[in-house]
């Protein structure tokens, strides 16, 4: 029944990589807490680098350095 | 003052259906908890099927079966 | 498969009212988008009035007026 | 280490304005709680006006009035 | 820089199990997307069983069966 | 109409500091995007240090060093 939300910058993650994240996060909940995988939901949000900030700056600016 | 976030897979919900979700969620908060509809916010996120997983698999893969 | 997050101030909602919100939100997704209720997740967060602001003020302060 | 999520309707915020929100939110956490800006994350979500409701109506409908 | 939010019902996860979830989610992002662990944030929310619903019912009710 | 969610570790923020965060975040949205403060919602989540991880470790462990 867990809900996992993974938020990353939109920088080219492939469908295969996203499927791996979903599989890996589900397995983690099963392994550590014995959760039921059938009702474990994982949602990935890919966020534009203009909309993600760290250290007070956007990732767009950080990537230019 | 409540905030409701509805997350669904992006599979063709129409503007009319989304308006119905917003109306329905707002009415629910008014009816059950007597909340003020004027400050009740409802936000719908539509998520790509590659980015939504259940049972360790993406919805893209599940829909193919 | 939808995920609904309802955030309200912690001001005495009963277990019965919360069960009604969960039932109502699930029914809404079934009715409007024909979603499967078995995998529809609803999570309610109750937030201290010191931690909820609207109009630049906390609900704690607003309730005192 | 804080995480700030700013959700607004998608109505033309520029990259400069979004950078200002990120800078401003980070500075706020540093000023009020002495948080480390280097690990302060700010994520902005821009939401279609069809997907944002207040008072039981979508912002798309409200903007038409 | 990723942000991961794991939401589970509050049913006795230990500090050790939560540390394992944090380690596991961080490792997953490093392995699949080569993300920097130093700025990968994982936040676990433990939610009362009265506040978590699936299939239109609270987990409190489901656990009684 | 914006919604801002500020997530911090639960380490003793006072009601006054939380009111300042709410005021500051609201003012930021008004100043940068000319948003209406009356419908700007700010919600602060305070998270146990056992439940917050960075660099693969919980803040509880990091604070001990």
């Amino acid at each position: 029944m867990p809900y996992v939300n993974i938020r990353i910058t939109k920088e080219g993650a492939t469908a295969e990589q996203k499927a791996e994240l979903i599989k890996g996060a589900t397995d983690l909940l099963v392994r550590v807490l014995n959760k039921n995988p059938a009702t474990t939901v994982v949602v990935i949000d890919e966020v534009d680098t203009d909309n993600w900030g760290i250290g007070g700056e956007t990732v767009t600016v950080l990537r230019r350095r």
Side-chain angles (χ1 to χ4, degrees), chain A residues 8-36:
Chain A
I8 54 175
T9 43
K10 194 172 188 62
E11 300 180 276
T14 64
E16 286 68 29
Q17 287 173 320
K18 292 187 284 190
E20 247 189 284
L21 289 178
I22 285 166
K23 182 73 169 62
T26 305
D27 288 352
L28 181 68
L29 271 296
V30 173
R31 180 166 59 78
V32 177
L33 292 177
N34 200 28
K35 294 292 184 183
N36 179 5

Side-chain angles (χ1 to χ4, degrees), chain A residues 8-12 46-54 56-64:
Chain A
I8 54 175
T9 43
K10 194 172 188 62
E11 300 180 276
E46 295 176 279
V47 177
D48 196 286
T49 57
D50 277 356
N51 290 20
W52 193 295
I54 185 162
E57 290 188 302
T58 67
V59 174
T60 304
V61 166
L62 292 169
R63 291 292 186 248
R64 271 194 214 127

